[in-house]
Amino acid sequence: MKKDMVALVTGGSRGIGRAVCVELSKQVTKIAVVYSGNQDAAEETKKLVEEAGAECRIYQCNVADFTQTAELVKKVSEELGTVDILVNNAGITKDKLMLSMKEDEFDSVIDVNLKGAFNLIRHTASGMIKKRYGKIINITSIAGLIGNPGQANYAASKAGLIGLTKTVAKELASRNVCCNAVAPGFVDTDMTEKFKTDEKILATIPQKRVGKPEEVAKLVAFLASDAADYITGETIRIDGGLAI
Ligand code: NAI
């Protein structure tokens, strides 16, 4: 049976975030889809969530902005209820080799990928603590585990997310709030448009294929479920063996 709970998913308008919204709508009653700019795409996610039988609202918000995220969480709490499940999925890349990376290319990736997750955790944690229940899932990347040339900004942001995950897990464990991270390898989304059919890249993946957003979504849904109640502070790779 579905739980009467609220899940908030950032970057829910497309790719992995959309798949997570749809998968979570099979296990909870209310989904808040957070998107940055593409309202039509967010509406499409809403349609899919409603077809799966959950209530859905869409919210435009720049996760990098502390004030906007505070207002977002307030609005979601008023309209849907306290956030029980938070999925920090919004992310961007601005790839360049270290020697040509500009300051703003470094800062903007850290701001969205790392500070964005901090902002959302900061504003939702007190509600979870009061309820003595919460599941926080941060979408990191294998780049945060093993590094990747051309992605100093992205890898740093994703490694930072792993440290954030472990710290939040330790701080909130006694209040029954779990915090975990999921580290995908190459997944078939707009973000990997340039790489996903590249034979050289596919050859580096032991399973010889990119992942599907739905596969990542199932792992997120597991971490958001009771089946994962005794898992916290963990980072789980889902990469076809790429980072073994
Ligand atoms: P995508 O580019 O298809 O979707 C990213 C989502 O984040 C979009 O909905 C976008 O609107 C949202 N977003 C971007 N900046 C935002 C902001 N400032 N405020 C609010 N929302 C914002 O990407 P994809 O592939 O679905 O990635 C989702 C997450 O998974 C990202 O964190 C990414 O780093 C991570 N990831 C993806 C991998 C892949 O191969 N696709 C591999 C490893 C990690």
Side-chain angles (χ1 to χ4, degrees):
M1 208 178 75
K2 270 190 214 196
K3 286 191 159 186
D4 186 16
M5 282 188 180
V6 179
L8 185 156
V9 182
T10 66
S13 57
R14 65 183 205 197
I16 293 170
R18 173 180 286 172
V20 167
C21 290
V22 173
E23 193 61 38
L24 285 178
S25 61
K26 297 175 192 166
Q27 64 194 50
V28 301
T29 50
K30 294 171 209 158
I31 310 281
V33 177
V34 179
Y35 69 101
S36 57
N38 190 339
Q39 188 176 341
D40 289 346
E43 295 282 2
E44 179 59 26
T45 301
K46 182 175 190 273
K47 198 172 133 236
L48 295 170
V49 166
E50 286 170 350
E51 278 167 12
E55 183 180 345
C56 186
R57 296 209 183 193
I58 63 169
Y59 300 89
Q60 184 173 22
C61 176
N62 174 9
V63 297
D65 186 310
F66 190 79
T67 311
Q68 272 190 41
T69 50
E71 284 159 8
L72 164 76
V73 172
K74 189 167 173 277
K75 208 166 174 211
V76 172
S77 303
E78 285 163 4
E79 293 181 355
L80 295 177
T82 305
V83 174
D84 302 284
I85 298 164
L86 166 65
V87 183
N88 283 310
N89 163 80
I92 57 168
T93 53
K94 288 195 179 167
D95 298 354
K96 286 262 175 72
L97 289 172
M98 190 65 200
L99 289 183
S100 46
M101 188 174 286
K102 296 191 177 67
E103 185 183 6
D104 70 292
E105 288 164 340
F106 187 85
D107 289 348
S108 57
V109 170
I110 298 286
D111 281 352
V112 174
N113 298 6
L114 179 56
K115 193 181 160 208
F118 163 77
N119 287 343
L120 266 301
I121 295 170
R122 179 69 182 77
H123 300 310
T124 54
S126 53
M128 292 179 181
I129 288 169
K130 271 196 208 113
K131 266 182 111 170
R132 291 284 191 274
Y133 184 89
K135 302 277 190 188
I136 301 168
I137 298 119
N138 297 319
I139 310 298
T140 175
S141 163
I142 57 158
L145 292 168
I146 60 173
N148 195 25
Q151 291 197 310
N153 49 3
Y154 184 77
S157 73
K158 296 298 189 180
L161 266 181
I162 294 171
L164 179 67
T165 301
K166 290 179 181 176
T167 302
V168 171
K170 284 186 175 177
E171 287 190 14
L172 303 187
S174 64
R175 320 297 169 91
N176 197 33
V177 177
C178 296
C179 182
N180 291 290
V182 166
F186 285 103
V187 181
D188 186 357
T189 69
D190 293 348
M191 189 178 266
T192 51
E193 198 59 54
K194 288 187 222 149
F195 318 104
K196 61 194 178 197
T197 53
D198 185 325
E199 290 299 329
K200 274 196 220 125
I201 285 178
L202 292 179
T204 64
I205 305 170
Q207 289 193 345
K208 305 290 176 221
R209 68 169 178 90
V210 296
K212 299 177 195 142
E214 294 75 20
E215 291 173 316
V216 180
K218 282 189 165 48
L219 175 56
V220 173
F222 163 71
L223 288 171
S225 76
D226 293 351
D229 276 352
Y230 202 52
I231 302 175
T232 196
E234 187 55 276
T235 298
I236 304 180
R237 286 190 297 109
I238 174 158
D239 64 352
L242 182 55
I244 292 170

